[in-house]
Amino acid sequence: MSGSVVLLNLAGAVALLLFATRMVRTGVERAYGDVLRHRLRSVLRNPILAVGAGALLAICLQSATAVSILVGSFTGAGIVGATPGLLSVLGADLGSSLVVKLLSFDLSLLVPVCLLAGTSMFMATERREWRQLGHILVGVGLLLLSLRMIGQASEPLRESEILPVVINYLSGDPITAFLLAAVMTWLFHSSVAAILLVCALAARGLVPIPLGLVLILGANLGGGVIAVMLSRGSVPRARIVPLGNLIMRTAGAVIGLAVLVLLQPPLGWLGAGPVDQLVHFHIAFNVALVIAGAPFAHWVSRLAESLTRTGEARQAGTLAGAEVSALDEAALAMPTIALANATREVVRVCGTVELMLMRVIELYEHADQVKIDELAALDDRVDRKHAAIKLYLAKLTANPLTEAETLRCQELLGASIRLEQVGDIIVRNLLAHVQKKLDRGLTFTDEGWRELVAFHHAVLINARLAFNVVVSRDAMTARQLVQEKDRLRTLEKQSSQSHFDRLREGTAKSLETSSIHLDTIRDLKQINSLLAAMAYPVLEEAGLLTGSRLRAV
């Protein structure tokens, strides 16, 4: 087998590993994301529980990076402090190392079981919960399959004449190997995938244990870089936790590298086989980082906060309040380019509305006047963008347009109008409910709050589908969006019935929050209807829209 074919097979196996890891994570986020976020928020205030919660969430999501971004957003919103947030991310890194240990076992029998069970669940029902569970099981099956493929693809490398040269060079230059592993992990966007790849190569005798330990440390450093890069566009406070985690991981990895190179400690205690030694070293490193880093978490979070403020102050003079518009007046004479500009601007409004929709549910649980005012300011931005888009499209229609260009212009205008209406509902209705709840000091029942969170999550998922339809104009996505509208109608009826059952039972909290609960469900349903309407032009063009929902008589 030629070297290019071997590398192609290995690259394909690694690609499947990355895809499967992402598949499991997105499935868990869609099915249980809101429940996990709610539970995480409730325990992050306790530093000890924060470590355990972070580890558990990382095991569920199979990604410490996702936990770092999530906790960073909580810190940015003021829900939790930077120190417990940093401790939870250290716990998430430990949980991620336990995932590697679990996947290092021989689980080949689970491949057909997970694929069969997951596909059956996904194909046999339209219920979101079961379909997402099937999505997760298929992801787990593909993940285990990819590990087997990596082992098979790397087997011919034993006979390679070039690989020993590369391995010998990296073994003699641990700093280069360390940095190479960090860069590889950043490119993979998954420390789990990078470490599993190193273990698979070590199991075939392609990577010696001393070099593998150096690569493991580099992968730990690269894992911290991923979250920092992904959060660089967030508000400054949301970047504190990922940056603090990177500071601690860098210090720990550098110290670990110095110990390996200078002291060359015995490795027998880590295990008998190469995979056990690498995996146990990875776990031991993260355990040591939690134990040694916990006393310094407060100081590291303050350092990270200082660094983010410094970066913010450096940009304040040129970027404060700046808003870039894609609506280039010079392009109006070229309808294709002008419509692309208008699409870009509508997508920006989509992003702002999505942010408003995400933040408003957090205010139901932890509200203060400053955050309410900040959310209201986002609606002012939506109104300005909407007015600008409307004027730009009006000027565009003054030029000769094809029928397709005219329809696209009307579609973008309709989307902009609906987005502006959604922003108004969030500010005028939902924020009013938040203010009422805050002023009266009311709290929901646990069951009522779970229903609101689940309903809000469904609307948020549909909002993202609607925003995708605006860009892609994909008929199948548009069809799915309208189908979800019908499912949400059923979910509303179930939530209302459960609420009235609690009222009949005389639950005090239900009586106090009844109007807020029902009005919130109604407003979220109205938002969902507006967003689902963005799919109608695409469905009509594809011939998938009937003339009326009324039954013929």
Side-chain angles (χ1 to χ4, degrees):
M1 186 182 295
S2 65
S4 58
V5 174
V6 172
L7 292 178
L8 181 61
N9 288 333
L10 184 59
V14 172
L16 180 60
L17 173 62
L18 297 175
F19 175 78
T21 302
R22 177 178 175 83
M23 191 174 181
V24 174
R25 185 178 72 249
T26 56
V28 173
E29 287 176 345
R30 292 170 184 170
Y32 311 107
D34 280 329
V35 175
L36 293 174
R37 293 185 186 96
H38 177 62
R39 296 298 183 190
L40 185 62
R41 283 199 297 260
S42 64
V43 301
L44 277 183
R45 297 175 183 85
N46 185 311
I48 298 177
L49 292 179
V51 175
L56 181 60
L57 190 58
I59 292 173
C60 293
L61 297 177
Q62 295 199 351
S63 172
T65 299
V67 178
S68 182
I69 298 295
L70 175 62
V71 174
S73 68
F74 289 165
T75 303
I79 297 175
V80 298
T83 300
L86 180 55
L87 289 173
S88 70
V89 175
L90 291 177
D93 291 318
L94 176 58
S96 179
S97 68
L98 297 178
V99 171
V100 174
K101 175 60 179 178
L102 178 63
L103 295 176
S104 68
F105 294 118
D106 182 9
L107 303 174
S108 56
L109 183 61
L110 290 180
V111 173
V113 174
C114 289
L115 292 178
L116 179 61
T119 303
S120 300
M121 289 181 184
F122 192 86
M123 301 290 290
T125 181
E126 292 297 324
R127 291 186 59 183
R128 178 191 290 266
E129 297 82 2
W130 286 102
R131 287 175 68 88
Q132 292 303 333
L133 181 56
H135 186 97
I136 295 169
L137 289 176
V138 170
V140 172
L142 293 177
L143 177 58
L144 298 174
L145 178 63
S146 69
L147 296 176
R148 183 194 302 174
M149 291 175 60
I150 289 175
Q152 295 172 348
S154 60
E155 188 67 28
L157 292 176
R158 292 174 182 265
E159 304 172 1
S160 171
E161 297 179 356
I162 299 177
L163 185 61
V165 176
V166 176
I167 294 299
N168 288 335
Y169 173 77
L170 293 177
S171 297
D173 189 355
I175 295 179
T176 299
F178 175 76
L179 295 176
L180 181 63
V183 172
M184 179 183 71
T185 304
W186 174 71
L187 291 175
F188 283 4
H189 269 46
S190 171
S191 61
V192 172
I195 293 171
L196 287 174
L197 176 59
V198 172
C199 291
L201 297 177
R204 295 302 190 277
L206 300 173
V207 174
I209 298 303
L211 176 59
L213 298 179
V214 172
L215 296 177
I216 294 295
L217 289 176
N220 275 277
L221 173 61
V225 174
I226 299 170
V228 171
M229 297 301 293
L230 292 178
S231 63
R232 64 185 184 277
S234 305
V235 297
R237 282 194 57 81
R239 300 197 299 267
I240 294 174
V241 169
L243 181 57
N245 183 51
L246 177 60
I247 292 172
M248 299 190 77
R249 301 198 75 72
T250 301
V254 170
I255 293 172
L257 180 63
V259 170
L260 288 179
V261 173
L262 299 178
L263 301 181
Q264 298 182 351
L267 305 176
W269 64 276
L270 291 173
V275 174
D276 286 340
Q277 290 182 354
L278 294 179
V279 173
H280 293 163
F281 176 77
H282 179 44
I283 295 174
F285 172 79
N286 283 280
V287 170
L289 202 61
V290 171
I291 296 173
F296 299 98
H298 175 69
W299 305 104
V300 173
S301 62
R302 291 186 60 180
L303 173 60
E305 184 175 5
S306 176
L307 292 174
T308 55
R309 285 179 177 175
T310 301
E312 181 186 18
R314 190 180 299 118
Q315 297 178 351
T318 56
L319 299 182
E323 288 187 17
V324 180
S325 175
L327 304 177
D328 183 8
E329 297 281 342
L332 287 172
M334 297 172 285
T336 301
I337 297 178
L339 285 172
N341 290 340
T343 301
R344 287 172 54 196
E345 201 68 7
V346 171
V347 169
R348 287 178 177 173
V349 178
C350 289
T352 304
V353 170
E354 181 180 0
L355 181 61
M356 295 173 65
L357 196 55
M358 290 171 59
R359 288 187 175 178
V360 73
I361 195 67
E362 296 175 356
L363 293 179
Y364 270 79
E365 190 174 13
H366 300 283
D368 61 54
Q369 195 59 50
V370 174
K371 294 175 185 175
I372 291 175
D373 294 340
E374 289 176 351
L375 189 57
L378 290 178
D379 184 53
D380 294 336
R381 183 191 301 176
V382 171
D383 291 342
R384 289 195 303 270
K385 294 285 188 182
H386 165 67
I389 292 169
K390 185 167 58 176
L391 180 60
Y392 189 79
L393 292 175
K395 292 179 180 179
L396 177 60
T397 55
N399 299 322
L401 301 176
T402 65
E403 181 179 356
E405 290 168 346
T406 301
L407 291 175
R408 180 58 173 166
C409 190
Q410 294 173 351
E411 185 179 333
L412 290 173
L413 180 59
S416 178
I417 290 173
R418 292 183 179 94
L419 289 170
E420 191 268 341
Q421 291 172 336
V422 170
D424 287 343
I425 293 173
I426 292 174
V427 171
R428 297 177 183 176
N429 295 3
L430 295 180
L431 277 189
H433 305 330
V434 169
Q435 189 70 58
K436 180 179 179 181
K437 179 176 177 292
L438 177 64
D439 293 340
R440 299 184 181 181
L442 302 177
T443 56
F444 294 108
T445 62
D446 290 341
E447 184 179 355
W449 176 243
R450 283 195 298 269
E451 290 174 2
L452 282 182
V453 168
F455 198 87
H456 170 270
H457 179 64
V459 173
L460 183 59
I461 293 296
N462 292 344
R464 290 165 178 162
L465 286 177
F467 302 155
N468 290 340
V469 169
V470 171
V471 179
S472 68
R473 306 193 77 252
D474 178 64
M476 296 309 297
T477 305
R479 181 182 178 88
Q480 181 184 356
L481 178 59
V482 175
Q483 290 174 336
E484 287 297 319
K485 178 182 176 182
D486 293 335
R487 192 186 73 86
L488 201 75
R489 186 182 299 112
T490 302
L491 189 61
E492 179 209 10
K493 293 179 181 178
Q494 294 173 349
S495 177
S496 298
Q497 184 60 48
S498 297
H499 180 72
F500 286 125
D501 289 343
R502 291 193 296 274
L503 288 178
R504 281 196 297 268
E505 293 171 359
T507 304
K509 288 185 178 179
S510 295
L511 294 171
E512 294 172 345
T513 60
S514 178
S515 62
I516 297 177
H517 183 104
L518 295 175
D519 289 347
T520 298
I521 294 291
R522 178 204 62 201
D523 293 331
L524 288 173
K525 181 186 175 185
Q526 186 178 357
I527 288 173
N528 189 77
S529 298
L530 288 169
L531 295 171
M534 295 165 68
Y536 293 155
V538 176
L539 293 174
E540 186 174 6
E541 182 178 334
L544 299 175
L545 200 63
T546 59
S548 173
R549 292 176 60 92
L550 296 176
R551 180 180 298 175
V553 294

